[in-house]
Amino acid sequence: MNSSVTRAQPVGVALPEPEPEEALGLSRLPPELLLMLLSHVPPRTLIRQCRRVCRRWRALVDCQALWLIILARDHPALWPIAQSRLPSARNDANPCILGRFCERRPIGRNLIQNPKGEEGFLKWTVLTSEDGWAEEDEDLKLIPRGCMLTSFQWYHKKQVVDLEEEGLWPELLDSGKLEICISDWRNDQQGTDCLYQLCVQLLDAEKAILDHFSPVPFPILKWINSVSSQVSHVFSNLKKGVRFVSFEQWVWNLELGNEQHGLSLTNSSVIVRLLPS
């Protein structure tokens, strides 16, 4: 008779779970490997979430090494220029300046906010000459989408693009390898005779004018069946020190007493591009 005794598991009693093996946490990875893993995380997630995980991750996200990996991989056309004109080290630059560039991707993107006026005049400053160029305080959201105010006075619609805030660093802006392309579409079908003018200025850090584009004022007459037209310009020889782009639209109503709101200005754009090689 077999002397061995087999112990049966009592009915209804679950077998104990095996002890799990301790997983290799990301915090235990060597810095070089963790850096490579983080380089595959979207830049927005790196800046807004990964920096908050712990001090070690924050230091990696804030260092230039991580963003150099991303820059070389995701911006191959810019890399030959960028690697010789990297931003200077700044103690207050957290996260890294290159991180803001990789997150915002300003090259080739329209830097004008609310360009079609789909949100009224949000992001735009509207001034009127009636009160000595005071900022318009009426409810601009009631004005039809994409339209400028018109009355027997000048109206001035303006937006200033901060190029550094958009992710472009000074050494890159001063490299001589970039151009700034501006354009504006105006809809000439409206209910009053107007005079329209576009004025674009390139400004330095102190808002002094370094360059400008201001074509001759264009008359828009209500009795002419005209179509939308585009005005554009390329600043291809940027002076050193350009840090802002001031984009301004001016309208003068030529009909005394006519206060219609009818001049539609849509698809305004300010685009920074690499100079053709």
Side-chain angles (χ1 to χ4, degrees):
M1 181 176 178
N2 192 345
S3 60
S4 62
V5 178
T6 302
R7 294 183 179 181
Q9 181 70 23
V11 178
V13 178
L15 292 171
E17 292 289 337
E19 291 292 333
E21 295 183 4
E22 184 179 356
L24 178 61
L26 292 179
S27 61
R28 299 175 59 189
L29 292 176
E32 297 80 6
L33 184 54
L34 180 56
L35 199 67
M36 292 304 299
L37 288 176
L38 289 177
S39 72
H40 292 280
V41 177
R44 181 180 293 264
T45 303
L46 285 172
I47 293 174
R48 302 191 180 188
Q49 298 180 30
C50 294
R51 289 183 77 242
R52 302 178 180 179
V53 172
C54 62
R55 292 182 179 179
R56 186 188 183 203
W57 282 39
R58 183 185 183 94
L60 289 174
V61 173
D62 287 349
C63 77
Q64 201 173 75
L66 171 64
W67 300 106
L68 289 177
I69 297 172
I70 297 173
L71 191 67
R73 183 190 64 226
D74 296 347
H75 304 271
L78 180 66
W79 177 243
I81 301 170
Q83 62 181 330
S84 62
R85 296 173 176 85
L86 295 175
S88 57
R90 289 169 48 187
N91 294 330
D92 61 339
N94 293 318
C96 176
I97 295 174
L98 291 178
R100 186 162 64 243
F101 175 89
C102 293
E103 178 194 19
R104 308 208 62 160
R105 302 181 71 94
I107 300 293
R109 176 174 64 84
N110 186 7
L111 302 182
I112 288 286
Q113 300 184 59
N114 189 24
K116 298 181 181 180
E118 294 176 340
E119 302 175 73
F121 284 92
L122 183 66
K123 304 300 182 181
W124 293 88
T125 298
V126 179
L127 305 176
T128 172
S129 61
E130 183 177 19
D131 299 315
W133 293 113
E135 186 167 352
E136 193 66 31
D137 57 0
E138 62 180 282
D139 189 359
L140 299 177
K141 293 183 179 179
L142 299 179
I143 299 171
R145 185 175 71 176
C147 293
M148 283 191 68
L149 302 168
T150 60
S151 63
F152 196 65
Q153 58 190 334
W154 277 112
Y155 267 94
H156 176 204
K157 177 185 173 189
K158 178 179 181 180
Q159 187 172 148
V160 178
V161 177
D162 186 335
L163 297 174
E164 290 190 70
E165 184 64 27
E166 292 295 337
L168 297 158
W169 62 94
E171 290 81 1
L172 181 60
L173 287 168
D174 296 340
S175 67
K177 302 296 184 179
L178 302 180
E179 62 183 11
I180 297 178
C181 314
I182 61 96
S183 70
D184 190 33
W185 286 87
R186 66 175 174 257
N187 186 348
D188 298 345
Q189 296 179 352
Q190 39 90 60
T192 186
D193 293 342
C194 295
L195 198 62
Y196 160 76
Q197 184 173 20
L198 175 68
C199 179
V200 181
Q201 299 173 337
L202 304 186
L203 312 176
D204 66 11
E206 303 299 324
K207 302 294 181 69
I209 300 173
L210 297 178
D211 204 347
H212 76 283
F213 170 71
S214 184
V216 175
F218 184 85
I220 301 175
L221 306 177
K222 65 182 179 182
W223 53 268
I224 296 180
N225 293 323
S226 52
V227 295
S228 298
S229 55
Q230 183 185 31
V231 57
S232 60
H233 180 73
V234 178
F235 295 96
S236 57
N237 188 20
L238 299 183
K239 297 180 180 178
K240 287 189 176 182
V242 173
R243 299 294 180 266
F244 298 92
V245 179
S246 173
F247 192 96
E248 307 176 29
Q249 299 164 325
W250 300 72
V251 176
W252 175 270
N253 189 349
L254 300 177
E255 296 185 38
L256 181 62
N258 190 332
E259 296 185 355
Q260 299 185 46
H261 309 291
L263 183 58
S264 178
L265 301 172
T266 60
N267 285 328
S268 305
S269 67
V270 171
I271 298 176
V272 178
R273 302 186 308 201
L274 296 176
L275 278 172
S277 55

